[in-house]
Amino acid sequence: MSKIKIATVWLDGCSGCHMSFLDMDERLLAIADKIDLVYSPLVDAKIFPENVDLTLVEGAVSNEDDLHKIKLVRSRTKLLMALGDCAVTSNVPGMRNYFSRDEILRRAYIENASVNQGIPTETIPQLLPKSKPIHEYVKVDIFVPGCPPHADIIFNAVAALLEGRLPDLENQARFG
Ligand code: SF4
């Protein structure tokens, strides 16, 4: 039987959701023979491949690079999972939405900078006006809230998908 191709993607998040993914510990071994991790911050793959079965996405869409990436990921993925509150609601990255983009850049690169003050115009992706959850840009198939979602919930969701059914997270996952 061919393995299920899985990817994980890190947009504007703190990596805590990926840490929770790793917290599945020995259960990762239990599913290891069923999956092929084809792209992730956890593996050395530079290009998001075609025909991925399931992608878990951590983080909100906050800059042009995030936006390009989530559209590419969606076009190459059968099932897309919003993993964690930042992906589901924009959560922590969304706290900047009360301020304008110029106010934020000025605060970060001029007011709070003790050296090399100045807003960069090259080498970093441009901020979008607001930080938004991924479903505002692309279709999301599974929402897994939590900050981060507990490893048990991630495992239950992935295990259900490996069995060919959608996970029922109603009484398991919660925000925060
Ligand atoms: Fe970090 Fe929480 Fe956002 Fe996950 S949901 S990336 S743990 S802040």
Side-chain angles (χ1 to χ4, degrees), residues 33 50-51 53 56 58 65 94 105 114 128 142 145 164 174:
D33 60 343
E50 305 269 1
N51 300 317
D53 295 301
L56 290 67
E58 169 190 322
D65 189 51
L105 291 171
S114 49
L128 296 170
I142 306 130
R174 60 178 173 77

Side-chain angles (χ1 to χ4, degrees), residues 105-118:
L105 291 171
R106 209 166 45 244
R107 184 75 173 161
Y109 289 105
I110 296 176
E111 294 168 10
N112 281 347
S114 49
V115 292
N116 296 331
Q117 289 179 329

Side-chain angles (χ1 to χ4, degrees), residues 13-17 58 84-86 91-92 146-148:
C14 73
S15 87
C17 290
E58 169 190 322
D85 288 349
C86 293
N91 193 32
V92 175
C147 184

Side-chain angles (χ1 to χ4, degrees), residues 83-148:
L83 180 67
D85 288 349
C86 293
V88 174
T89 70
S90 86
N91 193 32
V92 175
M95 291 168 75
R96 71 142 161 117
N97 292 345
Y98 296 99
F99 305 93
S100 73
R101 185 170 43 188
D102 287 347
E103 285 174 312
I104 291 160
L105 291 171
R106 209 166 45 244
R107 184 75 173 161
Y109 289 105
I110 296 176
E111 294 168 10
N112 281 347
S114 49
V115 292
N116 296 331
Q117 289 179 329
I119 297 171
T121 55
E122 296 176 356
T123 69
I124 64 165
Q126 289 292 300
L127 279 184
L128 296 170
K130 302 284 182 198
S131 179
K132 294 186 179 180
I134 57 179
H135 69 266
E136 298 235 5
Y137 292 106
V138 296
K139 177 175 176 280
V140 171
D141 302 295
I142 306 130
F143 293 89
V144 181
C147 184

Side-chain angles (χ1 to χ4, degrees), residues 7 38-40 43-50 52 69 72-73 76:
V38 293
Y39 181 93
S40 172
V43 301
D44 188 22
K46 302 286 186 271
I47 298 173
F48 195 89
E50 305 269 1
V52 177
K69 186 174 271 185
L72 179 78
V73 166
R76 296 181 174 183

